């Protein structure tokens, strides 16, 4: 079994409850919390930078929530690739994954963005994955 945690900042009906980087909690989060991976929001400026990922030990994974559920426009593929490359300066690219921010939050209350648009951007075979990680 793989155990992960979702680092939620709140996003109900396109509103939120927290902002700021992961800097102050990174060491404890990555080295004391007994999980295999982390779903982390990095889809806008209120999420902070990727520097805290330097604390991620080998064997743990970070799912980068780069594809927003908050807007209707799709992110440019080159922008996503650039953001993944930025994150890979702090943790091995093989410990990184790409995900919409966050499919599980598209529920009855909904977001004010177009539902399903994040799925189109990060879907398997959508191109972003193969260009970053190859066809392993």
């Amino acid at each position: 079994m793989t155990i992960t945690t979702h680092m939620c900042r709140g996003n109900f009906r396109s509103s939120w409850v927290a902002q700021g980087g992961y800097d102050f909690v990174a060491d404890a989060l990555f080295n004391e919390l007994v999980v295999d991976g982390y779903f982390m929001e990095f889809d806008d400026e209120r999420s902070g930078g990727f520097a805290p990922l330097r604390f991620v030990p080998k064997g743990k994974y970070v799912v980068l929530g780069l594809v927003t559920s908050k807007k209707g426009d799709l992110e440019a593929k080159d922008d996503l690739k650039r953001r993944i490359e930025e994150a890979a300066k702090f943790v091995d690219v093989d410990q990184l994954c790409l995900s919409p921010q966050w499919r599980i939050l598209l529920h009855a209350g909904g977001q004010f963005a177009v539902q399903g648009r994040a799925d189109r951007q990060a879907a398997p075979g959508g191109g972003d994955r193969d260009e970053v990680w190859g066809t392993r």
Side-chain angles (χ1 to χ4, degrees):
M1 178 181 351
T2 301
I3 300 172
T4 61
T5 188
H6 171 213
M7 307 306 299
C8 186
R9 296 169 182 282
N11 190 18
F12 178 71
R13 299 190 59 79
S14 297
S15 62
W16 49 274
V17 296
Q19 70 178 9
Y22 298 99
D23 305 80
F24 297 107
V25 297
D27 190 20
L29 175 69
F30 296 128
N31 294 296
E32 295 178 25
L33 190 60
V34 183
V35 296
D36 301 302
Y38 308 85
F39 283 79
M40 302 181 75
E41 297 181 17
F42 285 106
D43 64 319
D44 61 20
E45 62 281 346
R46 73 179 166 101
S47 305
F50 295 115
L53 299 181
R54 71 187 183 276
F55 292 104
V56 177
K58 295 287 183 202
K60 290 193 175 189
Y61 296 89
V62 174
V63 181
L64 300 172
L66 298 176
V67 180
T68 192
S69 63
K70 300 171 190 150
K71 303 181 278 191
D73 296 332
L74 292 176
E75 289 80 358
K77 185 187 304 187
D78 288 341
D79 290 343
L80 288 175
K81 287 172 49 182
R82 180 185 50 76
R83 303 274 330 271
I84 294 166
E85 289 168 359
E86 287 176 28
K89 292 176 184 175
F90 300 100
V91 63
D92 190 293
V93 70
D94 289 330
Q95 290 176 259
L96 296 173
C97 307
L98 174 63
S99 173
Q101 179 285 325
W102 294 110
R103 171 65 188 211
I104 60 173
L105 294 178
L106 297 175
H107 49 74
Q111 304 304 343
F112 294 134
V114 178
Q115 293 190 9
R117 52 84 51 208
D119 294 332
R120 292 191 306 273
Q121 186 76 19
D128 300 342
R129 179 198 64 208
D130 292 345
E131 289 187 32
V132 174
W133 290 280
T135 55
R136 305 174 215 193

